[in-house]
Amino acid sequence: MVPGNQLKTAKILLADNDLVNVLALKNILHAHGFRNIYNNKPVTNERLVDPDNLPALVVLNVDNTNGSQLQVLKNLLREIALPEIPILLLTRDTNSELVRNALQLGVKDVISWPFNENEVVSRISVLLENHYLAKMVRERHMGQKGASPGHQLQVIELTRQLEQIKRTQLQDRQLAGYDSLTGLANTASLCDHLSNVMRNIREDDRIVAMLLFSLESFSEITKSVGYASGDQILQAAADRISESVERLSNLKNSPETYFTAKYSGGKFVVVINDLESETKAISIAHRILATMSAPFELPNIVLDIGTQVGVSLAPRFTTEATEIVRQSEVALHTAKMGSQPLIVYEKSIDNYDPRRLALMAELRKAINNDALYLVYQPKIDIKTGVVSGVEALLRWNHPELGLIPPNEFIPLAEQSSVIKPLTVWVLNNAMRQATAFASSGLDIAIAVNISACSLRDDSLVGYTKMLLQKNNVEPNRLILEITESAMMQDPNKGLNLLNQLNNIGVQISIDDYGTGYSSLAYLKRLPVKEMKIDRTFIKDMAVDEDDKLIVGTTIDMGHNFGLRVIAEGVEDGQTVKLLKEMGCDQVQGYYYAKPMPVGELYEWMTVDNKVAWTLN
Ligand code: C2E
Ligand code: CA
Ligand code: CA
């Protein structure tokens, strides 16, 4: 047998461009004791694995790959062909041509995303186990050149063990269908059942509902009354659910069929198949809830325990088994947040993607643990070549995932409450840096990016003012960059807030200009000082006449409005020359400098006197 320890320390490579997926999978594998996991991004024509440090298994997701997915897969197979490292392909679309090709090419297993936690862990374990056994067999086989019959027997014995393991795994799956405490189906058979039901739903034109019941604060209750009493509550709850399901299924003229299962913690599932209507599912959920409302009588104590239920429906929102489960969890979570007993899943409540929550919880920690830092990109006065200011750009150095670019985590933060502490963190750190610049005699402004959702937050003005005062920074040294589309989201509220910010003396800049649809009449009323022409127009203006025309007219229009105009994303000298001719005021881009940590920025500015130092 392969020792369990060897499996848990096996090196697993997660090859996926989506860091949220990586994090979700990593958390799951960590929770199941796997300790040696790392990740890498699959990119066409780049090596994925280090030949001197090979993994034991690769979990590959090419869904978000730039370029040819099949090519990435072929490259990987070529890289690891010799040592025969198994590949588990994760994909949203298990019916695709890619999957057929992948299996033909030698990918060992395929799992559809979003996946079921237990399934992915068990498949990874099986692949690793088989991999190690096969390796042992091979090693013995190779070692037996000169062939002693004893060696040959060992090879046969190991091969037999390998087959045996495969068989027991299969049997285990079939036997372990029930939860030993409540006698209800367990999660493994729930998964099988849902997969069956959902497979048929596409042909049968019927409605399926998943009801996910949860005993309120079950884990806290267990902690206070003890685990034995906790088990009694679970048994009693399971009995109540089974009895009411039995009553319901005995009703006349009810074509539905029911499947009841014990889920994790204090949760239970009822899957209803062959429903006539969605409203019927909801009324059934209410009836089961009613039977749960009576107090639970334990030998020494009577407990009133609330129950909540999340309902998800198929085929309206999904025809995938894993997705109907996730949607019922979203509905249940929403019920808990709003203290409501029953919520039916709808797209509009789906802010609670568990993967997103995991990453956001980490971001919250990062804000407190100094895992964030700011880099600064100079803005340069095109006429004098002197640095007039810097833009602060946020970086997150995740302990496991490495550097995560802002475009990957800020949009998530914007959809959650994390954006506020994040904005406060950025402003505070940028203000501290502004003080440091001023005290080293640097006369430059600092620009900070402000998200659209912060523009809807009334406290933005208050904390900006407070942070300026706390750090003793002159307000006009702070530039708030707000995208054109953010300004247009709620024009009245936006205008009001921008006026307040203008009143405390900070400068406002329109970021990514040209990518939104602002009306000139509205722009005229805004208290802005600066306009940044988006990189998409700048990057090809030296070769594209249309872009050149747009940039030229935008510069003129900006000047007519009395604005300072900046071109962002400038990467070559030809573009600088054109911008100068067009009268653009400032430039920013890789041609001059990439965003840099502050130490590097100081070094960069010192060379050739790129700044006006007022002291020394
Ligand atoms: P942005 O405000 O448009 O920032 C400019 C982005 O373009 C930066 O990417 C910068 O590194 C990149 N860039 C600058 N010059 C060039 C160039 O010459 N060529 C190319 N190809 N790219 C160039 P970064 O740092 O990844 O930031 C991406 C976006 O993330 C920013 O776009 C901004 O919208 C957002 N962001 C960054 N930091 C913060 C922050 O602290 N708060 C908020 N709310 N958003 C932020
Ligand atoms: Ca910006
Ligand atoms: Ca921009």
Side-chain angles (χ1 to χ4, degrees), residues 391 393 449 481 511-512 532 568:
E391 176 175 3
L393 293 155
N449 291 284
E481 293 192 8
D511 203 354
D512 299 348
K532 297 182 79 173
E568 60 177 9

mmCIF file of all heavy atoms in Angstrom, residues 391 393 449 481 511-512 532 568, ligand 2:
data_model
loop_
_atom_site.group_PDB
_atom_site.id
_atom_site.type_symbol
_atom_site.label_atom_id
_atom_site.label_comp_id
_atom_site.label_asym_id
_atom_site.label_seq_id
_atom_site.Cartn_x
_atom_site.Cartn_y
_atom_site.Cartn_z
ATOM 1 N N GLU A 391 1.421 58.255 -9.463
ATOM 2 C CA GLU A 391 0.156 57.571 -9.207
ATOM 3 C C GLU A 391 0.447 56.368 -8.314
ATOM 4 O O GLU A 391 1.349 55.566 -8.614
ATOM 5 C CB GLU A 391 -0.483 57.092 -10.523
ATOM 6 C CG GLU A 391 -1.756 56.275 -10.277
ATOM 7 C CD GLU A 391 -2.495 55.866 -11.565
ATOM 8 O OE1 GLU A 391 -1.994 56.172 -12.665
ATOM 9 O OE2 GLU A 391 -3.564 55.242 -11.435
ATOM 10 N N LEU A 393 -0.332 52.792 -6.997
ATOM 11 C CA LEU A 393 -1.061 51.610 -7.474
ATOM 12 C C LEU A 393 -0.861 50.476 -6.465
ATOM 13 O O LEU A 393 0.247 50.233 -5.989
ATOM 14 C CB LEU A 393 -0.562 51.211 -8.858
ATOM 15 C CG LEU A 393 -0.895 52.244 -9.945
ATOM 16 C CD1 LEU A 393 0.079 52.175 -11.105
ATOM 17 C CD2 LEU A 393 -2.334 52.073 -10.444
ATOM 18 N N ASN A 449 -6.328 56.002 -6.782
ATOM 19 C CA ASN A 449 -7.516 55.575 -7.528
ATOM 20 C C ASN A 449 -8.692 55.335 -6.579
ATOM 21 O O ASN A 449 -8.539 54.692 -5.549
ATOM 22 C CB ASN A 449 -7.217 54.273 -8.280
ATOM 23 C CG ASN A 449 -6.234 54.511 -9.409
ATOM 24 O OD1 ASN A 449 -6.583 55.037 -10.454
ATOM 25 N ND2 ASN A 449 -4.978 54.161 -9.177
ATOM 26 N N GLU A 481 -8.179 59.877 -8.558
ATOM 27 C CA GLU A 481 -8.496 59.455 -9.929
ATOM 28 C C GLU A 481 -9.783 58.646 -9.912
ATOM 29 O O GLU A 481 -9.875 57.627 -9.233
ATOM 30 C CB GLU A 481 -7.353 58.615 -10.520
ATOM 31 C CG GLU A 481 -6.088 59.425 -10.740
ATOM 32 C CD GLU A 481 -5.053 58.691 -11.591
ATOM 33 O OE1 GLU A 481 -5.364 57.604 -12.143
ATOM 34 O OE2 GLU A 481 -3.930 59.223 -11.712
ATOM 35 N N ASP A 511 -10.268 59.492 -14.854
ATOM 36 C CA ASP A 511 -9.396 58.400 -15.293
ATOM 37 C C ASP A 511 -10.032 57.669 -16.482
ATOM 38 O O ASP A 511 -11.252 57.722 -16.671
ATOM 39 C CB ASP A 511 -9.220 57.430 -14.111
ATOM 40 C CG ASP A 511 -7.953 56.590 -14.232
ATOM 41 O OD1 ASP A 511 -7.273 56.669 -15.268
ATOM 42 O OD2 ASP A 511 -7.666 55.849 -13.271
ATOM 43 N N ASP A 512 -9.223 56.981 -17.250
ATOM 44 C CA ASP A 512 -9.681 56.148 -18.372
ATOM 45 C C ASP A 512 -10.621 56.927 -19.292
ATOM 46 O O ASP A 512 -11.613 56.385 -19.789
ATOM 47 C CB ASP A 512 -10.418 54.891 -17.867
ATOM 48 C CG ASP A 512 -9.538 54.006 -17.006
ATOM 49 O OD1 ASP A 512 -8.322 54.244 -16.980
ATOM 50 O OD2 ASP A 512 -10.073 53.086 -16.370
ATOM 51 N N LYS A 532 -7.380 62.046 -17.880
ATOM 52 C CA LYS A 532 -6.369 61.082 -18.339
ATOM 53 C C LYS A 532 -6.931 60.291 -19.513
ATOM 54 O O LYS A 532 -7.915 59.570 -19.362
ATOM 55 C CB LYS A 532 -5.997 60.119 -17.208
ATOM 56 C CG LYS A 532 -5.362 60.814 -16.031
ATOM 57 C CD LYS A 532 -4.961 59.804 -14.959
ATOM 58 C CE LYS A 532 -3.672 59.098 -15.318
ATOM 59 N NZ LYS A 532 -3.221 58.251 -14.189
ATOM 60 N N GLU A 568 -2.034 58.294 -20.804
ATOM 61 C CA GLU A 568 -1.498 57.180 -20.011
ATOM 62 C C GLU A 568 -1.174 55.989 -20.895
ATOM 63 O O GLU A 568 -1.731 55.829 -21.974
ATOM 64 C CB GLU A 568 -2.457 56.791 -18.871
ATOM 65 C CG GLU A 568 -3.829 56.351 -19.283
ATOM 66 C CD GLU A 568 -4.684 55.927 -18.080
ATOM 67 O OE1 GLU A 568 -4.273 56.142 -16.920
ATOM 68 O OE2 GLU A 568 -5.768 55.374 -18.315
HETATM 69 CA CA CA B 2 -5.603 55.499 -12.480
#
